[in-house]
């Protein structure tokens, strides 16, 4: 947990003025960019967050001028979400900061060490996913 806390601090430091936008909201913006026109329901599915949490995040991103809603072409009850120019700029800065932090963390590692770390991280993520799936099924 100390490592994760350190990475979060490094990200906040790298984001500078953009640190006012929490990383989870920046991740939501990334998803909206990668899947242009995604709906709130789609975001809930991709993030694993409930509809209420997603609605609050979208509302905040709209208020910050980072996201905009458009009418859904096939469903009057739904909206498509698209990044504004400011939203795209925030995502670019977030991704650049992520890459810089990764370079700081990995710059002294050998290729074999990085591959080992990647295998371990994938294994840990799988354990988390399996455990959460078991708990939600049981």
């Amino acid at each position: 947990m100390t490592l994760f806390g350190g990475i979060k601090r490094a990200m906040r430091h790298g984001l500078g003025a953009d640190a006012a936008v929490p990383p989870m909201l920046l991740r939501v913006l990334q998803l909206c960019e990668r899947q242009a026109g995604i709906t709130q329901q789609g975001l809930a599915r991709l993030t694993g967050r409930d509809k209420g949490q997603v609605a609050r995040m979208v509302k905040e991103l709209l208020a910050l001028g980072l996201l905009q809603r458009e009418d859904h072409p096939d469903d009057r009850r739904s909206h498509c979400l698209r990044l504004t120019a400011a939203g795209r700029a925030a995502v670019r800065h977030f991704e650049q900061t992520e890459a810089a932090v990764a370079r700081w963390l990995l710059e002294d590692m050998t290729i074999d060490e990085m591959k080992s770390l990647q295998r371990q991280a994938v294994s840990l993520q799988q354990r988390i996913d399996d455990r959460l799936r078991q708990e939600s099924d049981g």
Side-chain angles (χ1 to χ4, degrees):
M1 294 300 119
T2 302
L3 172 63
F4 298 131
I7 292 169
K8 284 176 71 172
R9 283 192 312 279
M11 284 294 297
R12 277 195 302 270
H13 175 75
L15 289 170
D18 287 344
V21 181
M24 184 60 200
L25 292 182
L26 291 166
R27 291 259 181 245
V28 168
L29 283 177
Q30 276 183 317
L31 290 173
C32 291
E33 181 179 52
R34 291 176 183 158
Q35 299 199 19
I38 193 168
T39 62
Q40 283 187 201
Q41 184 176 5
L43 280 175
R45 194 172 39 257
L46 286 176
T47 62
R49 305 280 177 146
D50 66 52
K51 291 180 197 176
Q53 289 174 313
V54 170
R56 285 186 294 279
M57 288 188 285
V58 167
K59 182 178 179 182
E60 188 170 349
L61 290 166
L62 291 166
L64 290 169
L66 301 174
L67 198 61
Q68 61 189 12
R69 275 191 186 137
E70 297 175 358
D71 291 337
H72 193 288
D74 302 323
D75 185 352
R76 292 181 309 152
R77 298 166 295 157
S78 190
H79 293 94
C80 297
L81 302 171
R82 299 199 191 279
L83 271 65
T84 63
R88 283 189 297 281
V91 168
R92 290 290 81 71
H93 184 62
F94 181 65
E95 290 172 343
Q96 289 166 354
T97 301
E98 250 184 344
V101 169
R103 282 191 302 275
W104 300 340
L105 289 172
L106 305 175
E107 67 187 351
D108 295 330
M109 293 180 81
T110 67
I111 296 294
D112 287 341
E113 288 171 330
M114 283 189 250
K115 288 179 180 178
S116 176
L117 178 60
Q118 183 180 21
R119 282 191 303 274
Q120 292 171 29
V122 167
S123 175
L124 288 172
Q125 184 62 55
Q126 187 62 52
R127 290 175 70 179
I128 291 168
D129 293 346
D130 290 348
R131 181 64 170 267
L132 293 175
R133 195 173 15 264
Q134 288 172 358
E135 288 181 8
S136 69
D137 290 345

